[in-house]
Amino acid sequence: MQVQLNKQLIGSRLKNVYDGWRNASQNDEYGSIADAEALLLLSGDPAGEDEPVRKGTAFQTWLLGYEFPSTLLLFQKDKLLILCSASKAKFLHQIKEGNPPVPVEILVQAKAKEPPSDALPKFVEAYTSFKRVGSLVKEACTGKLMTEWEQGVSKADKKPELVDMAPALSAFMAVKDEEEMKCIRTAANLTSTLLVHHIVLKLEMILDKEAKITHEQFATQIEARLGSGEGEVAKGPDMKVWSKGRGLNDVDWASTEFCYSPIIQSRSTTTGYDLRSTAESSSDTIAHKGVFLIAVGMRYKGYCANLGRSIIVDPSKEQEAIYNLLLSMQSEMLREIKDGVSAREVYQRALDIVKKEKPELEKNFVKNAGFGTGVEFRDSAYLLSSKNSKHLKTDMVLNLSLGFSDLLDDNGKKYALHIVDTIRVGADRSTLLTEGAKSTKDTLFFLNPENEIEVEEDKPSKPSKKAPVKPLVNGSPIKNKTVGGKVLRNKTRSAAQEEVLMTAAAKIKDHQQQLHEGLQSAGLAKYSEGASGGGEKEGKTWKRFQSYKGESALPREVESLRISVDRKAQTIVLPVHGFAVPFHINTIKNVSKNDEGDYTYLRINFQTPGQLAGKKDDTPFEDPDSTFIRSVTYRSSDGHRFDTISKQITDLKKEVNKREQQKKEMADVIEQDVLLEIKGRRAHKLPEVFVRPALDGKRLPGEVEIHQNGLRYQSPMGSQKIDVLFTNIKHLFFQPCDKELMVIVHIHLKAPIMIGKKKAHDIQFFREASDVQFDETGNRKRKHRYGDEDEIEMEQQERKRRQMLNKEFKLFAERVAEAASTSMGETLEVDIPFRELSFEGVPFRTNVRLQPTTECLVHLIDPPFLVVTLNEIEIASLERVQFSLKQFDLVLIFKDFTKAPLHINSIPSGQLDDVKNWLDSVDIPLGEGPVNLNWGPIMKTINESPYDFFQQGGWRSFLGGGDADTRVRTANPSLRQILKNCSLRRAAPMLASMTAQMRAMTQEVVPVMMMIAMTVTTGKS
């Protein structure tokens, strides 16, 4: 489809250019081109994505509506001369139809394989015929056309004098028409929506959870809300954010982009605070206290809007006063900036306010208060500085930037504050185009008093609901001794560190008390309706088994009244007093055979209530008070036949148990919907990756593709594939290859799927980071190099290769998240493990490194993988915490009490404080004790009556004490005896014996050993 130019708009803007040029001698704004006989606008190859928009490109976009690279425009008094390629000429011919103020002549260059035309010589001849030509003398363009242009001009006999026409071009673009204002309003709404509904909320979450994330990572996450790229590599916008903005229903997302990468700064930024728009988000971890500077700008259809905010956590009185000064100053400046006022007067008025309110801050005030904006993000011709005498006009758009830099806080550290907004100049005053998150209520966060040491102990302190900030390990003492008004140091360094640790412990204790109180009240509310029946409803149920529908279905072998095994019906047919009596294999517990003299005895034991031990001791029965057959014994002189029967029964029992176990394991496996493949464009791919669980066959790398509603992994030969739908993705992880041997994109599923013949909860795509394909024995380089130069070069190449791998896999993970968010309408975030918070432990059989993420605790390097969702954890129990032991254990109890607790054993004791701090920071209640608890019977008791458990104190009384004795004394009575006998896991036989004795006393068990002809009805779960 051919691009349609706005011919009337182009004609109108060409008229403004020529009118301004003709009257330049009477208007100072166009004074730079008053004596120019022609205006030359050069355009070479397009600029890079990271380069700012040039003024020439901005003017061309403003005039024509699009950017036309490798196109030359020569404005003459009597005509407009354009030099371009044949393809661009098809579009630019539309200008002639828009009633331009002067004739338009287009010179078309020849194509690459055609003989050269006279277009460029004609253009050079027309250019060199003038004595004085206006041009952008400070801009340098590159490209093939520009090289030919320079060669053609250099051969000319005479060359015109060049004058800088940049101020005049700025004046042409400064006053915005209604079409331009629509684009700028949309850009401003996009910027404000992103700030209010994502950036501020995300920053609050980072501060609240004390998440470890770098400024650069945060900026990348902000950019991901919009997506990036065009055509085949385009990513859809996050409508969960944009749908909350006003006037954004009909946005052309293909014409929306960031003016620059969002700038996030905190006091941990090593380069210090920088208020310039050219600043960058650093790779330092975001601090959780102090001043945070945010700057974000968006461009819509070429027009820019920008804003900046300051957020202060735990501000001092001075910082609060300076921020309020910025707010009042902005309100005053909006009244001062109006039609006719000069840029110099605007800046001077702002400086006067500073001199009046806080004269000591005059040296810290910004050197300019903003600049003009529009197609060009920063138009320096309208810089609001003390040296600019240009006057402002109605419908100009400015970026009003007020701030102070190099301020000093109470600790002598530098910080900065700013408020930046895009405004529209009016006849009487200016109006804000960007808004949101600016009042002190939205930008100043005050910590609760409990975060500081109280001097007066008798004053009651209100417990805080906010998680405490992690203490500084090497911090200075919080409380110092004072004598005669002078601050003295504590006696020893160890005393200072002990005081810090004691303060941290006190904070954790107070916070844990709040968490336990919340857990207790939530437990009572959750189980109050179900009362004690809640656990029983989820337990095992009575199940009937039917071997045959009638006597006619019995096999013929029973006519001989001998013991027979019917594998098809899963039944054992026993002769009883001349009758063939069938028993389903599930009613049989086991079979035993022994020889006594000339006879062989075969004993068949049945499932009955009240058996002493084993997994079947809680098997339900329809009527436990009925009379049951405990066992049946047969005698025979044919020992070989009894051997065969015993083996057949045992094998059938194993086969049935195995089938039931497989059926139970596969109960939660789902069958996914059909994957919808992308049509019309190529799918995003991640090539040369291995998958785990591995597919059958030879281990070869395949590729992963992103489709409409899911992912597809394709094996190299195309014979095998794995489909994963977005709706079944619970967590998405990206683990870089820093200090690891592989880079990983890991998917944790909501429900398992079948891969081959195995059930999989996790699917992982990885590529090995190490490169072993190089010659260590020597090469050509070694002939000319001595020492470590080649080793250093290889290390640098290895580092660079790892960085490229990280970038490739991270980009793919973000694309998966964006595609999933667009498909489902729910945001899926890429979770990255925090290696600095990792600790070692044994969750399965081997010692591994466990790494927390924002939402999970994971181990992704080797199978079996571990992914624990933090919000599914009810409480954590720290066990074997003793001074004499080098290791301790961590048990995670889930909110779903029917799920077995997770044991992470053998964690080094040196990491105890780190684990505690992490658990406390993610709001997980924890308990601590010197011994292991046997969680099997404990959870069984809790499941029998969760309401009674919480009514008698719940977890706070059960795990709230510091040692085992305290736990036993405070635990509810139903658990007290169990705790005394099962503190150590090796006490399980004792527990089994005690359980059997209790059952023997509470229910009547009548074992009857008889051989009668009767129908036996029994069952198992």
Side-chain angles (χ1 to χ4, degrees), residues 82-98:
I82 302 176
L83 175 67
C84 63
S85 64
S87 59
K88 296 185 181 70
K90 295 179 182 178
F91 306 134
L92 294 175
H93 271 294
Q94 301 176 46
I95 301 176
K96 298 179 180 181
E97 305 170 7

Side-chain angles (χ1 to χ4, degrees), residues 341-377:
V341 69
S342 68
R344 179 191 302 163
E345 292 171 350
V346 171
Y347 182 80
Q348 191 59 44
R349 176 56 184 152
L351 197 60
D352 290 342
I353 296 175
V354 176
K355 291 178 180 178
K356 179 182 177 182
E357 300 295 334
K358 283 188 173 292
E360 69 276 9
L361 297 181
E362 180 183 354
K363 64 181 183 300
N364 304 105
F365 191 58
V366 289
K367 302 306 177 185
N368 64 78
F371 45 81
T373 189
V375 181
E376 189 178 11
F377 175 73

Side-chain angles (χ1 to χ4, degrees), residues 252-268:
D252 180 8
W253 295 106
S255 303
T256 309
E257 60 182 340
F258 283 89
C259 299
Y260 53 87
S261 180
I263 303 171
I264 308 295
Q265 302 177 67
S266 71
R267 68 179 184 182
S268 61

Side-chain angles (χ1 to χ4, degrees), residues 115-174:
S117 65
D118 60 347
L120 183 59
K122 282 185 178 180
F123 196 92
V124 172
E125 182 182 356
Y127 166 72
T128 55
S129 65
F130 299 104
K131 295 181 180 180
R132 192 177 177 90
V133 176
S135 179
L136 297 172
V137 296
K138 295 181 180 179
E139 285 191 3
C141 299
T142 58
K144 180 181 178 183
L145 177 61
M146 298 309 303
T147 303
E148 295 175 355
W149 163 256
E150 291 171 358
Q151 291 174 354
V153 173
S154 64
K155 295 177 182 179
D157 296 334
K158 59 177 182 177
K159 302 175 186 176
E161 179 188 354
L162 297 179
V163 295
D164 190 8
M165 67 176 183
L169 297 192
S170 296
F172 289 136
M173 297 185 292

